[in-house]
């Protein structure tokens, strides 16, 4: 039991948090914030939980955890309101620099150079995401990292990330989100793996308006998980505890006892915190009085944990009514002062920018001519605004520029806008990818080397040698996935490596793609270098939400405060039917901005990409060509060190009449078609883009168009997918349209999935003949007499 002073501190923090929730609702209603979601009702459980934390422990939670963050001193009231207002200064709002929604918490794990800070010196919070349940896969990986740090002797020196694996990964989730698939997948995996993960379920009986009875069987997640409970006869499983959210002493006892078991024995636990309330409803979007009965609302008033804790403190003699009233008065004043300070810090710079714009308009008036009246009106409207947003300034500046266009008065307005846009680029467009000296695009290029003795081997052996070198070089490299360990993956890239490095370095998982990807995120957040294998590219769909909402946005949504250099290894392009055709590249390009998407055509290039990525701090997906593992390639003598640059294309065949832009498995098809076209007098240049994100960073494709003046974009994705993306990159963004004398074309697969069998393949995906015909038709447009129609 804490001392009386510590108990009073807990009550102070809980009361403070409640005042924050109450005042924050008012800020939304006043229009000073856009939306609010808060942790009222969960305060007492969270101050009790905080007492179980130790330095190095990590949180993967959700948007009701403000009291926990206050209790751990990872957040103060002014920072909370700064986030509510979307303050873009990371000094004011360190979790996201104004990019994340309110109550989405994160600690800064990186210094200003993008390098790791010592994570074991304090408590850490991984960055929250709104999709409910999305924090679960990452939580699994954070806990698994503790197991690895404890079990692998070679990881002991990495004390900035772990001290003997003693860290607990604390997760939090709402009761309704326990109905989601990722929750169950992560719970099952944690039970199988036996990791030090403590999961808390905040149960207030509802998921917005939908009660527990409609959410989970039996209406109780702890009842439903009884089969997971550890017993003396069956010690593999979960510790499962149920505790009332208004019972402060019981909460203290539960969290201290359960956390100690999790930390000591490295087992998972779930604490179901029941009979919680939500005094202000789900969010500022609507009132809970619309769906809760009068009886339920009365019950919630009677079971509100905060007044119950207050009554218990007085009953125990730890403080008097008068002393608590004085404390509460102090906290009301403190929260209001912090709110006002946060608003002033947020609004003052904008007011100054508004005045600077008004002054710029003033300076333009002398040369405005007929636009003078319009400019004066814009200036006066700007000065009348009491709390302008920066978007208001941008709109006013644009209107003023339109009015002053073609006159000398436009120049000071243009100067103001250029300065403002540069600042906005810094506020909103940075840190999509690494900007550190470890960025993948900054890794020095080292070509593969060969000698007269270099042998030809199957492609999978090139990868195997690459992974062997990586595992030997860096003890933080951990490879895992379905069939990766004992079998060495279904295509043998890791064959024999588990026997060499052990099952913890090269391991098997269950069939659980979402948590394979999430597991990698959590591991990478703790300094490890995971290579997570998804057996086939089609199966990426199971975890696309995790990659898109969590991994791809992580660096951006923390404004450079966190990173997870995850490598997702997968394979595709095999033309054997509906679920193994493996080319949903447009889907990835749309969903995975913030990751690299690499599409090597052979295993030597794949190995070069892996070497590059393992020297960088960026996340990526590498898509290997499924039918390339048995194709012979020469084995480089520097297999563990050579690197391949990202975003640099390879001209496989030079030509003068038409350029074919493609990647992956289609490279072989394009080369065969080019040979056939050569026989009828058409010289075709074939370009392998090699990586889709980034794409052709030095404009090599446009240089090809300057020579051929015609282009075909080719791949196996659906129409409008990656071919459309490549066309936009080349024709629009790089200005390739200036060099074209025929319409650019795309050639993709059919709109449906690929049918099974060789005939189904032939009529579902591009073939040598369809590539031949497409190029022939493009060239025929400008030389129909020489190349008469084949139609």
């Amino acid at each position: 039991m804490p001392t009386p002073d510590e108990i009073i501190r807990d009550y102070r923090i809980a009361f403070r948090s409640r005042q924050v929730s109450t005042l924050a609702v008012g800020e939304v209603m006043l229009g000073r914030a856009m939306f609010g979601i808060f942790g009222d009702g969960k305060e007492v459980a969270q101050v009790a939980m905080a007492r179980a934390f130790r330095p190095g422990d990590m949180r993967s939670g959700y948007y009701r955890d403000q009291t926990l963050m206050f209790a751990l001193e990872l957040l103060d009231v002014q920072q909370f309101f700064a986030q509510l207002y979307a303050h873009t200064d990371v000094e004011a709002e360190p979790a996201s620099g104004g990019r994340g929604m309110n109550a989405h918490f994160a600690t800064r794990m990186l210094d200003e150079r993008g390098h790791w800070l010592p994570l074991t010196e304090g408590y850490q919070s991984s960055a929250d995401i709104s999709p409910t349940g999305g924090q679960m896969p990452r939580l699994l990986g954070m806990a698994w990292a503790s197991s690895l740090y404890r079990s692998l002797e070679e990881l002991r020196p990495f004390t900035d990330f772990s001290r003997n694996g003693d860290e607990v990964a604390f997760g939090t989730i709402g009761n309704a989100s326990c109905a989601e698939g990722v929750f169950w997948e992560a719970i099952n995996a944690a039970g199988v793996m036996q990791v030090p993960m403590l999961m808390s379920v905040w149960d207030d009986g509802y998921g917005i308006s939908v009660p527990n009875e409609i959410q989970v069987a039996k209406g109780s997640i702890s009842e439903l998980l009884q089969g997971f409970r550890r017993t003396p006869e069956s010690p593999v499983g979960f510790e499962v505890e149920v505790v009332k959210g208004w019972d402060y002493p019981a909460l203290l006892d539960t969290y201290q006892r359960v956390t100690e078991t999790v930390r000591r024995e490295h087992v998972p636990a779930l604490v179901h915190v029941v009979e919680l309330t939500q005094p202000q409803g789900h969010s500022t979007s609507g009132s809970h009085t619309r769906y809760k009965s009068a009886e339920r609302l009365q019950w919630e008033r009677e079971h509100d944990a905060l007044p119950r804790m207050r009554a218990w403190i007085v009953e125990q003699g730890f403080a008097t009514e008068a002393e608590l009233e004085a404390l509460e008065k102090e906290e009301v004043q403190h929260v209001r002062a912090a709110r006002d300070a946060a608003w002033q810090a947020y609004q003052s710079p904008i007011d100054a920018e508004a005045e600077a714009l008004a002054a710029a308009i003033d300076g333009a008036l002398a040369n405005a001519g007929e636009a003078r009246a319009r400019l004066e009106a814009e200036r006066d409207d700007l000065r009348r605004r009491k709390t302008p947003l920066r978007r208001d300034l941008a709109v006013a500046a644009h209107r003023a520029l339109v009015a002053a266009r073609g006159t000398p008065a436009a120049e000071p307005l243009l100067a103001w806008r250029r300065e403002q846009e540069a600042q906005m680029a810094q506020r909103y467009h940075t840190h999509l990818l690494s900007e550190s000296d470890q960025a993948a695009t900054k890794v020095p290029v080292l070509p593969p080397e060969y000698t007269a003795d270099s042998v030809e081997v199957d492609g999978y052996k090139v990868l195997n040698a690459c992974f062997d070198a990586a595992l030997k070089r860096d003890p933080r490299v951990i490879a895992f996935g379905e069939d990766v360990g004992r079998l060495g993956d279904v295509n043998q890239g890791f064959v024999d490596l588990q026997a060499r490095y052990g099952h913890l370095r090269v391991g098997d998982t269950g069939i659980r793609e979402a948590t394979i990807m999430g597991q990698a995120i959590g591991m990478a957040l703790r300094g490890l270098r995971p290579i997570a294998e998804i057996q086939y590219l089609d199966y990426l769909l199971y975890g696309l939400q995790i990659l898109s909402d969590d991994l791809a946005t992580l660096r951006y949504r923390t404004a450079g405060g966190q990173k997870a250099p995850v490598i997702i290894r997968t394979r595709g392009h095999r033309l054997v039917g509906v679920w193994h055709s493996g080319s949903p590249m447009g889907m990835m390009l749309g969903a995975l901005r913030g990751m690299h998407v690499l599409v090597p055509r052979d295993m030597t290039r794949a190995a070069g990409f892996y070497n590059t990525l393992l020297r960088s701090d960026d996340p990526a997906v590498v898509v290997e060509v499924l039918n390339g593992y048995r194709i012979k390639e020469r084995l480089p003598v520097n297999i563990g060190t050579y690197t391949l640059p990202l975003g640099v294309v390879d001209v496989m065949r030079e030509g003068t009449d038409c350029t074919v832009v493609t990647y992956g498995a289609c490279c072989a098809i394009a080369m065969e078609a080019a040979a056939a076209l050569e026989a009828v007098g058409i010289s075709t240049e074939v370009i392998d883009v090699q990586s889709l994100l980034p794409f052709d960073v030095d404009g090599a494709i446009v240089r090809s168009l300057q020579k051929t003046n015609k282009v075909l974009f080719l791949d196996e994705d659906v129409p409008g997918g990656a071919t459309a993306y490549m066309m936009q990159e080349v024709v629009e963004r790089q200005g390739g349209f200036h060099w074209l004398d025929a319409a650019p074309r795309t050639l993709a697969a059919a709109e449906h999935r690929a049918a099974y069998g060789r005939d189904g393949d032939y009529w579902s995906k591009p073939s040598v003949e369809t590539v031949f015909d497409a190029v022939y038709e493009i060239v025929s447009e400008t030389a129909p007499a020489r190349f008469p129609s084949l139609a």
Side-chain angles (χ1 to χ4, degrees):
M1 178 69 71
T3 66
D5 285 347
E6 290 171 332
I7 292 169
I8 297 303
R9 177 187 179 273
D10 281 355
Y11 178 72
R12 178 184 289 275
I13 292 169
F15 184 86
R16 176 186 301 165
S17 184
R18 180 65 63 87
Q19 297 308 302
V20 166
S21 298
T22 302
L23 288 185
V25 170
E27 296 302 286
V28 177
M29 298 300 107
L30 286 170
R32 301 212 295 188
M34 190 172 182
F35 173 79
I37 194 163
F38 312 110
D40 48 300
K42 284 76 178 172
E43 298 93 349
V44 174
Q46 291 181 21
V47 293
M49 180 186 184
R51 292 209 166 273
F53 271 68
R54 292 183 188 172
D57 288 347
M58 296 192 73
R59 166 191 171 272
S60 181
Y62 84 137
Y63 40 72
R64 304 289 185 192
D65 288 351
Q66 70 196 47
T67 310
L68 176 64
M69 298 295 288
F70 289 146
L72 295 175
E73 297 183 352
L74 300 178
L75 177 75
D76 64 36
V77 176
Q78 187 167 335
Q79 290 168 341
F80 182 93
F81 280 100
Q83 188 179 64
L84 187 69
Y85 303 139
H87 197 150
T88 56
D89 185 347
V90 294
E91 294 298 321
E93 202 278 271
S96 73
R99 296 175 179 186
M101 291 175 65
N102 96 287
H104 285 57
F105 308 115
T107 52
R108 299 202 74 74
M109 299 182 184
L110 308 178
D111 63 21
E112 64 281 354
R113 300 172 301 156
H115 294 183
W116 289 109
L117 293 167
L119 303 186
T120 50
E121 291 184 2
Y123 314 122
Q124 305 299 333
S125 174
S126 61
D128 294 343
I129 58 176
S130 280
T132 55
Q135 69 272 34
M136 293 294 300
R138 158 183 11 122
L139 173 66
L140 176 71
M142 288 160 48
W144 176 236
S146 287
S147 296
L148 294 170
Y149 280 117
R150 176 172 289 186
S151 301
L152 292 173
E153 188 69 32
E154 58 266 40
L155 292 179
R156 296 290 172 84
F158 296 93
T159 55
D160 280 354
F161 298 105
S162 178
R163 297 189 183 276
N164 196 39
D166 287 342
E167 300 79 22
V168 171
F170 287 85
T172 63
I173 196 168
N175 51 288
S177 298
C178 295
E180 291 196 288
V182 286
F183 172 83
W184 287 99
E185 190 171 312
I187 290 293
N188 178 64
V192 169
M193 297 164 67
Q194 292 294 277
V195 294
M197 176 180 108
L198 199 161
M199 189 70 222
S200 293
V201 178
W202 309 137
D203 192 344
D204 56 35
Y206 291 83
I208 305 185
S209 66
V210 181
N212 274 347
E213 291 72 21
I214 299 176
Q215 301 285 357
V216 294
K218 299 180 180 291
S220 168
I221 191 62
S222 54
E223 284 193 44
L224 206 52
L225 287 173
Q226 287 307 306
F228 283 72
R229 187 188 290 274
R230 296 199 314 156
T231 65
E233 297 75 28
S234 180
V236 175
F238 266 74
E239 293 288 309
V240 179
E241 295 272 350
V242 181
V243 61
K244 292 179 171 58
W246 46 262
D247 191 339
Y248 175 72
L251 287 160
L252 285 171
D253 173 71
T254 299
Y255 275 111
Q256 290 294 330
R257 179 168 40 79
V258 173
T259 304
E260 180 56 34
T261 299
V262 171
R263 197 183 303 278
R264 181 183 65 251
E265 300 183 31
H266 266 209
V267 295
L270 183 136
V271 176
H272 186 192
V273 184
V274 299
E275 297 190 15
L276 287 168
T277 66
Q278 202 156 270
Q280 296 180 156
H282 175 265
S283 70
T284 55
S285 291
S287 172
H288 60 156
T289 59
R290 293 166 54 201
Y291 53 85
K292 289 179 181 175
S293 67
E295 293 77 14
R296 172 67 192 193
L297 293 170
Q298 179 59 33
W299 182 92
E300 290 195 6
R301 285 189 288 271
E302 294 170 356
H303 288 79
D304 189 331
L306 193 61
R308 284 209 167 203
M309 181 181 181
R310 188 185 196 280
W312 178 80
I313 289 172
V314 174
E315 179 184 303
Q316 296 296 314
F318 297 142
T320 65
E321 288 277 0
E323 288 169 335
L324 291 180
E325 287 173 4
L327 176 154
E328 290 162 355
K329 184 177 180 180
E330 289 175 6
E331 286 304 319
V332 168
Q333 294 172 344
H334 168 71
V335 171
R336 287 177 176 170
R339 175 202 59 186
D340 294 345
W343 177 254
Q344 180 68 17
Y346 164 75
Q347 191 62 47
S348 292
I350 301 176
D351 291 341
E353 291 165 22
E355 184 52 42
L357 174 57
I361 295 174
D362 270 337
L365 292 176
N367 299 309
E370 295 180 359
R372 183 181 181 90
R374 177 73 181 275
L375 291 178
E376 287 177 338
E378 290 294 341
R379 177 203 61 194
D380 294 344
D381 180 67
L382 193 61
R383 283 180 167 150
R384 278 194 296 268
R385 290 179 178 268
K386 292 184 178 180
T387 55
L389 297 168
R390 287 191 170 102
R391 62 178 291 175
D392 298 326
L393 310 190
V395 170
H398 186 269
R399 288 173 177 167
L401 272 170
V402 171
R405 68 190 186 281
T407 73
E411 187 49 45
L413 301 176
L414 284 169
W416 182 90
R417 189 167 75 165
R418 283 192 291 266
E419 180 183 353
Q420 191 76 354
E421 287 301 317
Q423 293 174 0
M424 292 305 164
Q426 186 66 30
R427 289 179 177 121
Y428 295 116
H429 302 322
T430 55
H431 300 295
L432 179 63
L433 290 158
S434 175
E435 298 174 11
S436 78
D437 56 3
Q438 300 168 338
T441 53
K442 296 178 183 176
V443 173
V445 177
L446 183 64
E449 297 175 2
Y450 302 93
T451 67
D453 298 326
S454 294
V455 296
E456 282 197 343
V457 298
D458 289 338
Y460 80 88
K461 293 185 178 180
V462 175
L463 285 177
N464 186 262
C466 170
F467 293 140
D468 185 15
L471 288 159
K472 184 183 302 181
R473 179 179 64 244
D474 188 347
R476 300 172 303 157
V477 174
I478 310 290
F480 58 96
E482 298 159 17
D483 299 302
V484 167
R486 185 174 181 180
L487 187 65
D489 90 46
V490 292
N491 295 102
Q492 304 289 278
F494 282 97
V495 67
D496 296 331
L497 296 185
Q498 185 182 79
R500 196 169 302 166
Y501 295 99
H503 72 281
L504 294 177
R505 298 284 307 282
V506 182
D508 289 313
T509 70
I511 299 177
R512 51 175 183 82
E513 287 84 3
T515 48
I516 288 173
M517 294 180 243
Q519 183 176 327
I521 298 169
M523 293 165 65
L525 277 165
R526 297 198 56 197
L528 299 174
R529 297 308 311 263
I531 301 174
E533 177 167 318
I534 300 302
Q535 200 161 90
Y536 298 109
L537 181 55
D538 308 78
Y539 303 161
L540 205 72
L541 281 164
Y542 284 100
L544 186 65
Q545 183 267 321
I546 300 301
L547 293 185
S548 182
D549 288 330
D550 197 354
L551 181 57
T553 68
L554 177 62
R555 196 186 294 265
Y556 177 81
R557 75 178 188 270
T558 60
Q562 295 185 8
K563 63 182 176 182
V566 168
I567 298 174
I568 303 296
R569 178 193 179 217
T570 188
R571 54 192 65 84
H573 311 301
R574 182 76 176 266
L575 308 181
V576 290
V578 173
W579 292 285
H580 295 82
S581 55
S583 298
M585 309 307 297
M587 172 193 79
M588 296 165 62
L589 292 170
L592 302 184
R593 300 302 173 101
M595 298 178 65
H596 297 301
V597 176
L598 310 178
V599 284
R601 70 176 184 265
D602 58 37
M603 303 311 150
T604 302
R605 283 167 175 76
F609 279 140
Y610 288 124
N611 287 336
T612 298
L613 294 170
L614 286 168
R615 286 164 172 77
S616 83
D617 62 356
D618 277 316
V621 175
V622 180
V623 183
E624 299 165 12
V625 176
L626 185 55
N627 58 9
Y629 295 110
R630 298 290 174 177
I631 295 176
K632 299 295 184 182
E633 300 181 34
R634 294 179 72 199
L635 181 65
V637 295
N638 58 341
I639 185 63
T641 56
Y642 76 89
T643 56
L644 193 67
L646 274 60
V648 176
V649 309
D650 180 37
V651 180
M652 298 180 66
R653 176 188 177 117
E654 293 193 357
T656 57
D657 294 328
C658 185
T659 301
V660 175
V661 180
T662 189
Y663 59 85
C666 281
C667 289
I669 294 171
M671 290 293 283
E672 189 174 344
L677 287 159
E678 189 72 32
V680 299
I682 296 176
S683 175
T684 307
E685 185 143 301
V686 178
I687 294 179
D688 174 12
V689 303
Q690 304 196 97
S691 76
L692 290 168
L693 292 175
F695 182 86
D696 188 17
V697 294
D698 59 3
I701 300 173
V702 170
R703 291 196 295 274
S704 176
L705 299 193
Q706 292 172 8
K707 176 175 54 173
T708 67
N709 310 118
K710 302 172 187 66
V711 63
L712 172 71
F713 297 95
L714 164 69
D715 80 345
E716 297 178 0
D717 198 0
V718 295
T723 52
Y725 161 78
M726 293 190 294
M727 179 186 282
Q728 183 191 36
E729 288 289 318
V730 174
V731 176
E732 179 185 335
R733 294 191 179 180
Q734 297 182 9
F737 73 94
H738 289 294
W739 305 98
L740 295 177
D741 57 19
R745 288 273 304 274
T746 64
L747 178 60
E751 293 186 16
H752 53 74
R753 300 285 185 97
Y756 179 67
R758 290 184 175 87
D759 284 344
D761 157 26
Y762 186 84
W763 272 278
S764 298
K765 298 276 186 157
S767 65
V768 172
E769 290 72 30
T770 54
V771 175
F772 181 103
D773 289 350
V775 173
Y776 188 92
E777 288 171 12
I778 293 171
V779 175
S780 178
E781 285 185 35
T782 55
R786 186 178 172 195
F787 301 106
S789 174
L790 298 176

